[in-house]
Amino acid sequence: MNKILLLFISVISISASAQLQTPESFLDYEIGSQFSRHSDIVDYFEHVAENSDLVTFHNYGKTNERRPLTYAIVSTPENLANIETIRQNNLINAGLASGTANPEIAIVWLSYNVHGNEASGSESAMSTVYELITNKKEWLKNTVVIIDPCVNPDGRDRYANWYNQVASTPYDVKQVAAEHDEPWPGGRPNHYLFDLNRDWAWATQVESQQRLKIYNQWMPHIHVDFHEQGINEPYYFSPAAEPFHEIITDFQRDFQTEVGKNHAKYFDQEGWLFFTRERFDLLYPSYGDTYPTFMGSIGMTYEQAGHGRAGLGINTDEGYVLTLKDRAAHHTTTGLSTVEMGSKNAAKLNTEFKKFFENSNVKYKSYILTGNPDNIKALTELLDRHEIKYGFSNGGNVTGYSYTQNKNASMDATGALVVNATQPKGKMVKALFEPDAKLSTPLTYDITAWSIPYAYGLDAIASTTKVTANGSNPFVKEINQVYTGAAGYLVNWNSMSDASFLADLLKNDIKVRFSEKDLKFNGKDFAKGTLVITKSDNKTNEDFAATVTKLANNHERKLHASTTSFSDNGIDFGSPDVKLVNKQRIAMLRGEGVSSLSFGSLWHFFEQDLKYPVTNINIDSFNAATLKKFDILVLPDGRYRGQLNEKALNNIKDWVRNGGKVIAVAGAVRSFAGKDGFDLKTNNTKKRDDKKDDAKGNLTPYDQRESSRLKHMITGSIYKTTLDPSHPMAFGYGDTYYSLKIGGTSYKYLENGYNVGYIKGTPETVSGFSGEDAKAGLTDSMTFGEARVGSGSVIYFVDDVMFRSFWENGKLLFVNSLFFVNNNKFTL
């Protein structure tokens, strides 16, 4: 009987195995011969999970365009039967869950296609899972492999669908062919045109938010982010380039090298070129290699030649044809090699993983933050996404490094948010909160400053002493009662929460005013920018009180009801300085010449943060007639050049003179520099030392050119900026703002307009790298300004406050520009 049962089980097993298909058989084409749509990839992983007892397949969310976000868990049947215990033991080992455990299972996470047009990743994901469960089963005995086959489904399908529509048959390898000329905005970003590989730490996008929930449940020992680069660079894998963030351990450094050597063995066998230790560093915390690294993993980026230009095949500059088949094979090889190294070193990975989360020796043991409660709450929501613990102080003074004074100082910590770096995720806390990241070299792939207290506009102390954080949560949901006897309501103006409330009021046809003067009602002071919602402005709305109260409660805003319009300080509800907010009609340009990233961050801001309508206009359709339908024109960062030619600028100027308003961001500001009527001139900058003598030319040695350019660069630094808080653009702020500068572009003070934010005298950096010449060029420069043109305005954001949507403290400047600055009713 037992023999019969065993034979029956064996037959069933053989039958199931026989039903498992290769990617080629299932798709009906060879991997790399076509671009698979996202649905094809999902279908194949579902097929594998249905026909193999070594794979389970799961959904973890949906994209903005409703495509599924998925991951596979790959291991032996025995491990999968015990998978929850394996997962939990890993968290216990890191100190992230209670209990005792001595795990010896390695957890390896492979992430593919975070950039949609780096499309070989998802193709290789299918090959990798098949190889693991057919030819590499031995590795799975002590290893769990998590495969996210497509981090960015919307971007991938944007690219794949475009390519499949335009490609020749057979494919054309000439670089000039249409199939190698991807149109704006390209498949790289997600639906909102965000670069998801810069969003790990800030988690502004739904893909990141949903992925982090799963990532923090697993906390892998190894994480690989599969990418592509230019067609002429062969393949990059670890070890990474300098700078390494100082929290990275010696083991993490050394193990990257061992992984790289293992890859090199396979590449050398095949005669494939590669490079290591160049370009891709481990500093900025929001990448798919650094974020996992700062969470204890061996985080690595692999970069295959290809990208959106390569298509199915392309001639490189070196004269060979780079094919999608080759690209997928290379990624499959490094993916398998990574799993192999995880399996061979499973015990060591677990031992070192545990050590990583011991943080008793950090310099700053606590970060204590005070400031606007809405900004504090927004920060706690970010910490919650990363499952970083925090608490609130019961009171007393704390002493340490002051972010606002740039020296040691004391602060009253009553009710302050406290984030301790001695917790298991303390290294990530240090990376996010430290005043200034230590640099081994300023030659880095990304920005060098991002410190959270500056980004959220909070006063902060970094303390070398651990601060107790057992105070009560200060966030109490505001509940207003309907009061029909009010002449009006006053609402403080300090944060994006106030801004989204205003937007909701306008969308519900509630007329709202704001004050350009300080107010006082019923003995209470209200600062400039306060919203004033009067009964007299909303006489036709029978449900006025109930509607305002409901909206205020939805946004957790405190309504200050006043039974009279008569103020305590002489500025009444009907004062000319209490102005009606217009229900603005806003247009924004998109298309060639416009930065897709800048456009995307603004688009996301309007739809997801402010929740106020914006009309996106293709730049090719932009004309004078179009302008007349709107009150505001937003110009994202970009290189407009021919798009904003003399005729276009004259049309804009005429429209502005009649009451229109332009908001120009970063590179768009250049379009107005030196042009008649816009009050904008570039600043004189220090001459480049490497071009002192034009007769002799540039004598900088060839191998020093890159480093010699550093003195002219600003690689994402935070500058102390003076604000004019009396100007409507700065309502809700004090007289100091910390601005993130991405480059050294500098403009003179406006002669006739309003310099709302500016650097006076010698620039003061508080974090990040700035070359000496670039920094000197910012002396006496305008950062934010308003130029009056006739009845309208042109508003300049030299620094992009929406950059990657993580500089929370800058967003209100933009909202003020929409609704408060030169608040004239458009008359055309």
Side-chain angles (χ1 to χ4, degrees):
M1 185 67 180
N2 287 337
K3 290 182 179 180
I4 295 174
L5 179 61
L6 288 172
L7 179 62
F8 176 75
I9 292 172
S10 177
V11 169
I12 293 295
S13 177
I14 292 170
S15 176
S17 177
Q19 291 172 7
L20 176 66
Q21 298 182 52
T22 66
E24 290 77 11
S25 296
F26 182 86
L27 298 168
D28 201 27
Y29 55 84
E30 185 181 355
I31 287 290
S33 64
Q34 294 188 38
F35 282 107
S36 306
R37 291 181 176 84
H38 178 253
S39 60
D40 298 328
I41 298 161
V42 172
D43 287 347
Y44 182 68
F45 271 85
E46 287 178 342
H47 160 77
V48 170
E50 290 169 359
N51 292 279
S52 171
D53 56 1
L54 283 79
V55 180
T56 60
F57 193 52
H58 311 267
N59 278 26
Y60 67 86
K62 285 187 177 181
T63 68
N64 289 288
E65 297 175 15
R66 302 186 303 281
R67 293 182 177 90
L69 296 165
T70 63
Y71 69 103
I73 302 175
V74 186
S75 197
T76 62
E78 294 79 12
N79 286 339
L80 291 179
N82 197 36
I83 198 67
E84 180 57 23
T85 300
I86 292 171
R87 186 188 70 79
Q88 193 67 21
N89 283 346
N90 185 55
L91 298 181
I92 292 171
N93 193 43
L96 297 169
S98 59
T100 58
N102 294 294
E104 294 185 350
I105 301 289
I107 301 173
V108 179
W109 186 306
L110 306 177
S111 290
Y112 297 89
N113 234 148
V114 66
H115 292 148
N117 61 0
E118 298 174 10
S120 66
S122 291
E123 309 292 347
S124 67
M126 293 185 281
S127 299
T128 300
V129 71
Y130 183 79
E131 281 296 308
L132 283 173
I133 63 176
T134 54
N135 299 319
K136 308 296 182 184
K137 292 181 183 180
E138 282 297 311
W139 297 343
L140 301 178
K141 290 180 178 179
N142 67 345
T143 306
V144 171
V145 182
I146 299 171
I147 297 178
D148 185 335
C150 190
V151 176
N152 181 9
D154 293 349
R156 180 185 173 83
D157 270 4
R158 186 186 310 122
Y159 174 75
N161 290 339
W162 164 78
Y163 185 86
N164 291 337
Q165 289 168 2
V166 303
S168 301
T169 303
Y171 58 81
D172 193 330
V173 298
K174 299 182 188 68
Q175 291 186 17
V176 297
E179 60 202 75
H180 304 303
D181 187 14
E182 191 181 4
W184 192 97
R188 178 184 177 93
N190 75 340
H191 169 80
Y192 278 112
L193 308 190
F194 268 69
D195 185 334
L196 293 178
N197 193 39
R198 272 80 172 169
D199 195 49
W200 277 77
W202 316 127
T204 66
Q205 301 302 292
V206 294
E207 295 91 343
S208 306
Q209 293 164 8
Q210 295 170 103
R211 183 176 66 254
L212 285 174
K213 292 177 183 177
I214 304 302
Y215 188 91
N216 280 287
Q217 289 175 15
W218 279 98
M219 296 293 287
H221 307 133
I222 297 175
H223 180 272
V224 178
D225 205 17
F226 289 86
H227 286 265
E228 292 193 289
Q229 55 191 339
I231 62 172
N232 298 305
E233 287 79 39
Y235 199 102
Y236 162 84
F237 49 71
S238 59
E242 291 286 347
F244 280 61
H245 196 285
E246 63 178 320
I247 64 174
I248 297 172
T249 67
D250 290 342
F251 172 75
Q252 287 175 312
R253 285 174 174 260
D254 294 342
F255 195 79
Q256 281 203 12
T257 301
E258 294 307 308
V259 171
K261 289 179 178 178
N262 202 56
H263 296 344
K265 175 182 66 177
Y266 292 113
F267 271 55
D268 288 341
Q269 288 173 1
E270 297 291 340
W272 297 337
L273 287 175
F274 62 88
F275 66 96
T276 64
R277 293 158 290 189
E278 296 181 72
R279 298 188 182 182
F280 305 104
D281 60 76
L282 293 174
L283 180 71
Y284 178 61
S286 203
Y287 280 117
D289 53 8
T290 50
Y291 180 91
T293 298
F294 299 171
M295 288 290 201
S297 184
I298 309 300
M300 295 173 288
T301 287
Y302 299 164
E303 296 268 356
Q304 163 64 48
H307 208 269
R309 278 191 74 194
L312 294 177
I314 190 170
N315 275 325
T316 67
D317 292 350
E318 294 185 350
Y320 68 90
V321 175
L322 173 68
T323 68
L324 180 60
K325 291 181 182 180
D326 291 337
R327 290 151 58 195
H330 299 163
H331 268 337
T332 300
T333 300
T334 54
L336 293 172
S337 172
T338 301
V339 176
E340 178 186 21
M341 288 299 290
S343 179
K344 286 182 176 179
N345 296 276
K348 183 67 171 176
L349 285 166
N350 276 280
T351 300
E352 295 296 331
F353 192 67
K354 181 175 183 176
K355 290 179 183 178
F356 182 90
F357 294 93
E358 297 169 357
N359 296 306
S360 58
N361 294 325
V362 292
K363 177 182 177 181
Y364 293 126
K365 292 181 168 52
S366 294
Y367 297 90
I368 306 95
L369 304 100
T370 62
N372 183 281
D374 289 331
N375 291 8
I376 293 282
K377 187 175 182 182
L379 175 52
T380 64
E381 291 169 355
L382 177 67
L383 296 175
D384 288 340
R385 293 196 188 282
H386 300 300
E387 298 185 19
I388 291 173
K389 296 177 181 178
Y390 57 87
F392 298 91
S393 170
N394 278 322
N397 283 345
V398 293
T399 301
Y401 178 83
S402 168
Y403 286 68
T404 52
Q405 299 182 46
N406 299 322
K407 63 180 182 180
N408 273 9
S410 295
M411 181 176 74
D412 181 4
T414 303
L417 174 67
V418 179
V419 186
N420 288 322
T422 53
Q423 64 179 292
K425 292 184 178 179
K427 289 185 176 68
M428 178 58 85
V429 171
K430 171 182 166 59
L432 294 177
F433 284 82
E434 64 187 340
D436 198 10
K438 183 179 179 181
L439 294 173
S440 60
T441 172
L443 282 171
T444 178
Y445 197 66
D446 212 280
I447 61 176
T448 56
W450 52 82
S451 183
I452 275 182
Y454 296 120
Y456 280 75
L458 301 170
D459 293 333
I461 292 285
S463 173
T464 55
T465 303
K466 184 177 178 180
V467 174
T468 303
N470 55 11
S472 60
N473 188 327
F475 306 126
V476 178
K477 186 172 182 178
E478 197 66 57
I479 300 178
N480 303 279
Q481 301 301 320
V482 176
Y483 178 51
T484 58
Y489 304 95
L490 299 100
V491 180
N492 290 312
W493 183 261
N494 295 301
S495 71
M496 272 303 300
S497 297
D498 301 319
S500 59
F501 175 48
L502 169 62
D504 212 358
L505 289 167
L506 294 174
K507 287 190 297 180
N508 280 274
D509 295 322
I510 300 294
K511 292 183 172 62
V512 186
R513 295 178 181 269
F514 74 101
S515 180
E516 288 193 345
K517 296 285 182 68
D518 293 334
L519 302 175
K520 189 169 186 177
F521 280 84
N522 304 319
K524 182 173 177 59
D525 293 318
F526 297 89
K528 298 177 182 67
T530 294
L531 301 182
V532 179
I533 313 165
T534 70
K535 186 176 182 179
S536 57
D537 284 328
N538 294 277
K539 290 178 181 179
T540 59
N541 190 329
E542 296 180 357
D543 298 320
F544 165 67
T547 301
V548 171
T549 303
K550 178 183 177 181
L551 295 175
N553 289 340
N554 289 345
H555 291 271
E556 300 183 26
R557 298 299 90 193
K558 171 67 176 175
L559 293 175
H560 299 274
S562 177
T563 57
T564 177
S565 302
F566 193 88
S567 72
D568 298 352
N569 69 340
I571 309 297
D572 304 321
F573 284 176
S575 167
D577 292 313
V578 180
K579 299 182 176 181
L580 203 63
V581 177
N582 296 326
K583 192 174 181 179
Q584 305 285 28
R585 301 168 299 168
I586 304 171
M588 182 164 61
L589 293 189
R590 68 186 300 278
E592 293 295 337
V594 178
S595 163
S596 61
L597 295 174
S598 177
F599 168 80
S601 66
L602 286 160
W603 182 25
H604 179 266
F605 171 77
F606 277 110
E607 291 195 353
Q608 300 298 326
D609 287 353
L610 189 60
K611 293 181 171 61
Y612 190 84
V614 61
T615 300
N616 301 321
I617 299 175
N618 288 323
I619 199 163
D620 293 337
S621 303
F622 172 68
N623 54 44
T626 301
L627 275 174
K628 293 180 180 181
K629 300 174 184 178
F630 297 95
D631 308 314
I632 296 175
L633 175 65
V634 177
L635 302 177
D637 185 16
R639 298 183 177 181
Y640 289 82
R641 296 176 181 171
Q643 291 92 337
L644 290 184
N645 54 30
E646 184 178 356
K647 180 181 178 181
L649 285 175
N650 284 335
N651 287 337
I652 289 173
K653 190 189 302 182
D654 290 342
W655 174 76
V656 173
R657 281 174 176 156
N658 283 282
K661 183 159 55 180
V662 171
I663 300 176
V665 178
V669 175
R670 286 193 217 100
S671 300
F672 300 92
K675 305 297 172 54
D676 183 55
F678 293 106
D679 197 18
L680 184 68
K681 296 178 181 177
T682 54
N683 221 346
N684 292 324
T685 56
K686 190 173 180 179
K687 292 183 179 179
R688 295 173 67 131
D689 291 340
D690 58 1
K691 292 187 178 179
K692 286 182 178 178
D693 191 336
D694 290 336
K696 294 180 179 179
N698 189 337
L699 301 180
T700 305
Y702 182 82
D703 64 354
Q704 297 175 27
R705 281 288 180 95
E706 187 174 29
S707 59
S708 73
R709 296 190 188 104
L710 284 172
K711 58 178 170 286
H712 312 295
M713 296 170 58
I714 294 176
T715 53
S717 302
I718 302 171
Y719 277 77
K720 188 175 183 179
T721 303
T722 300
L723 286 185
D724 173 8
S726 71
H727 190 280
M729 189 178 180
F731 286 172
Y733 293 86
D735 60 6
T736 302
Y737 172 82
Y738 292 94
S739 191
L740 178 65
K741 282 194 173 291
I742 308 302
T745 303
S746 178
Y747 296 94
K748 292 182 178 180
Y749 296 149
L750 302 179
E751 292 182 6
N752 302 307
Y754 300 94
N755 296 286
V756 183
Y758 54 91
I759 294 172
K760 186 175 183 180
T762 303
E764 181 181 347
T765 53
V766 296
S767 184
F769 174 79
S770 290
E772 57 187 69
D773 285 6
K775 183 175 180 179
L778 296 174
T779 301
D780 294 329
S781 63
M782 181 267 295
T783 305
F784 309 118
E786 180 205 2
R788 292 289 172 97
V789 181
S791 298
S793 295
V794 180
I795 298 167
Y796 301 121
F797 280 87
V798 178
D799 295 346
D800 184 358
V801 296
M802 296 295 174
F803 178 73
R804 295 180 186 166
S805 198
F806 85 97
W807 207 259
E808 287 294 321
N809 196 41
K811 293 179 179 179
L812 197 62
L813 287 165
F814 192 84
V815 177
N816 289 343
S817 300
L818 293 172
F819 296 113
F820 292 172
V821 174
N822 194 10
N823 196 43
N824 296 319
K825 185 62 183 175
F826 193 67
T827 56
L828 284 180

